[in-house]
Amino acid sequence: MSHDSTAAPDAAARKLSGRRRKEIVAVLLFSGGPIFESSIPLSVFGIDRQDAGVPRYRLLVAGGEEGPLRTTGGLELSAPYGLEAISRAGTVVVPAWRSITSPPPEDALDALRRAHEEGARIVGLCTGAFVLAAAGLLDGRPATTHWMYAPTLAKRYPSVHVDPRELFVDDGDVLTSAGTAAGIDLCLHIVRTDHGNEAAGALARRLVVPPRRSGGQERYLDRSLPEEIGADPLAEVVAWALEHLHEQFDVETLAARAYMSRRTFDRRFRSLTGSAPLQWLITQRVLQAQRLLETSDYSVDEVAGRCGFRSPVALRGHFRRQLGSSPAAYRAAYRARRPQSDRSGDMDGPGGPPVPQVPQEAAAVPLQTRRTAAASALGPAASLAAAHGKHVPELYAASRPSLPGQRSAP
């Protein structure tokens, strides 16, 4: 559920310091940052588009450390300003951070803290959320980042309320976005907040992107566990769960296998992954159902049974909530979008050879998941749709708030 971020009392009470200007946007760059994410705020806030009805911002590009700054492809950048530029900005954007395992420079964190104390709006795009978290600016706040890094953010900064489902989160004076393209969504949201729908729409037309995207990160989310859990005792329990998705079991079963109480297991699982075990288990079953719908001719009822759902009704409900489509509609659209030559090789039906019969237990667990579980690595896997080189984005447009992709604090 989305709420107007301006209702947050802390954000409403904070006033912009007299030396800061609302129209000045500072973008903080670091060496090792990806050039695409870095270029998003530069393009949105740094180009004069007043002829198209877009109010002009003044852009200050600041280096967060000594240059030259090396970026994607070995390119070297020289930022025209240093950290002192942040002291004039009403908005400070951190477009990306080079490594989720490395601490950002303390001087840059101090500059961000001062900017926030003086009323500046602080924005983290993608892994820029890790910089904001390291500065303590996300403590007790909702935030998002790329779904692949969300468990690590939740584990490293447990006081941050990480929501990996959202394209961006507006908490008033601190805003975060998911990966890459979601940075465009958040920048458009900022323009919309500052200057209204017409200005944001005009900018979106110039950028040739939709003014507002429906849905969140659910369409891309792969809730396999992060690499950090590989050495944890829970890894064996999780590997067992992935191998037995075709069976009906619940979280109590997993807790018993871990020799823990349900409460202790829930707490331990969440601390390691940033996700509740029940939600993770449901999502793994839905992901497996997605694969079977793509690669087999099992009926929806049979798919439900082979993925451990107690009934086809349960499968349909969870599938629609997570992917915004019924299982039957998903299968129809998936097959319609695949070339006939691709479809004939992996499905029974007219015009194509039958697929070899696979034992139920093997069919119920993706090959990559079985390999991962056997190796106890449990690293992030490519999404099932991506594994086939296809996406069906239209099917994921689930019911969303009035500003799709946005979540704001109550």
Side-chain angles (χ1 to χ4, degrees):
M1 187 172 182
S2 181
H3 298 271
D4 187 350
S5 61
T6 57
D10 291 343
R14 196 180 301 278
K15 300 295 182 181
L16 194 63
S17 169
R19 63 176 176 170
R20 295 182 180 275
R21 295 290 180 267
K22 182 179 179 180
E23 69 277 7
I24 296 180
V25 176
V27 176
L28 187 59
L29 300 182
F30 297 96
S31 188
I35 195 167
F36 188 4
E37 285 82 349
S38 300
S39 67
I40 288 171
L42 304 185
S43 179
V44 170
F45 301 111
I47 297 177
D48 185 355
R49 298 186 177 92
Q50 294 180 92
D51 62 321
V54 181
R56 185 175 185 179
Y57 290 87
R58 182 182 176 194
L59 179 70
L60 302 178
V61 182
E65 54 196 341
E66 291 295 324
L69 308 177
R70 185 175 293 274
T71 185
T72 308
L75 297 175
E76 291 189 348
L77 305 177
S78 179
Y81 300 96
L83 289 172
E84 72 283 350
I86 294 179
S87 65
R88 291 181 276 162
T91 299
V92 181
V93 182
V94 184
W97 174 237
R98 61 174 165 260
S99 171
I100 62 174
T101 61
S102 301
E106 193 59 40
D107 288 349
L109 298 181
D110 287 340
L112 288 172
R113 295 185 191 107
R114 285 194 301 271
H116 182 251
E117 290 170 0
E118 295 177 359
R121 177 172 51 189
I122 312 298
V123 181
L125 308 182
C126 194
T127 53
F130 283 81
V131 180
L132 273 58
L137 301 183
L138 297 181
D139 290 351
R141 291 178 178 265
T144 193
T145 187
H146 192 293
W147 62 262
M148 189 167 62
Y149 306 124
T152 303
L153 182 65
K155 178 183 177 181
R156 186 160 298 155
Y157 302 100
S159 62
V160 181
H161 306 310
V162 181
D163 189 343
R165 299 168 299 175
E166 304 297 338
L167 290 177
F168 63 85
V169 173
D170 179 347
D171 197 41
D173 54 352
V174 178
L175 303 88
T176 51
S177 80
T180 309
I184 302 176
D185 297 312
L186 180 50
C187 288
L188 285 172
H189 170 70
I190 291 172
V191 174
R192 185 181 300 110
T193 300
D194 291 348
H195 302 290
N197 290 329
E198 188 173 341
L203 177 57
R205 287 191 293 273
R206 278 296 182 94
L207 297 175
V208 199
V209 297
R212 293 172 175 160
R213 282 199 294 164
S214 62
Q217 291 194 83
E218 294 99 329
R219 74 192 75 175
Y220 312 108
L221 195 57
D222 171 14
R223 288 187 175 89
S224 298
L225 299 184
E227 294 178 0
E228 292 96 320
I229 198 176
D232 191 273
L234 283 187
E236 182 178 348
V237 175
V238 172
W240 180 89
L242 293 172
E243 290 280 4
H244 293 80
L245 287 175
H246 57 284
E247 300 177 8
Q248 290 186 10
F249 61 88
D250 53 21
V251 177
E252 280 77 9
T253 302
L254 299 181
R257 293 189 68 87
Y259 301 100
M260 297 178 184
S261 68
R262 171 64 188 270
R263 178 178 296 181
T264 300
F265 182 79
D266 281 5
R267 183 173 62 252
R268 181 67 176 152
F269 193 97
R270 188 184 290 273
S271 70
L272 284 171
T273 70
S275 174
L278 178 59
Q279 183 57 53
W280 177 84
L281 180 58
I282 290 172
T283 300
Q284 293 303 319
R285 295 193 190 282
V286 169
L287 287 171
Q288 176 58 19
Q290 188 179 1
R291 178 179 182 272
L292 289 180
L293 290 167
E294 294 171 357
T295 60
S296 78
D297 281 335
Y298 295 132
S299 69
V300 172
D301 288 13
E302 290 174 316
V303 169
R306 290 173 179 269
C307 296
F309 288 103
R310 297 187 184 277
S311 70
V313 173
L315 167 61
R316 290 185 180 96
H318 289 301
F319 199 94
R320 183 175 291 279
R321 276 190 291 274
Q322 293 203 21
L323 299 179
S325 168
S326 70
Y330 176 86
R331 168 179 274 169
Y334 177 84
R335 294 188 176 185
R337 295 171 68 91
R338 296 193 67 192
Q340 181 63 37
S341 58
D342 289 348
R343 295 200 300 270
S344 62
D346 62 5
M347 290 182 289
D348 290 335
V355 295
Q357 294 300 309
V358 180
Q360 176 174 331
E361 291 77 11
V365 183
L367 177 60
Q368 184 172 356
T369 299
R370 284 184 271 123
R371 288 174 176 170
T372 303
S376 298
L378 299 176
S383 69
L384 296 174
H388 292 284
K390 302 290 180 183
H391 291 284
V392 194
E394 299 89 337
L395 296 179
Y396 298 114
S399 176
R400 306 293 296 178
S402 57
L403 287 182
Q406 175 192 1
R407 182 191 187 282
S408 301

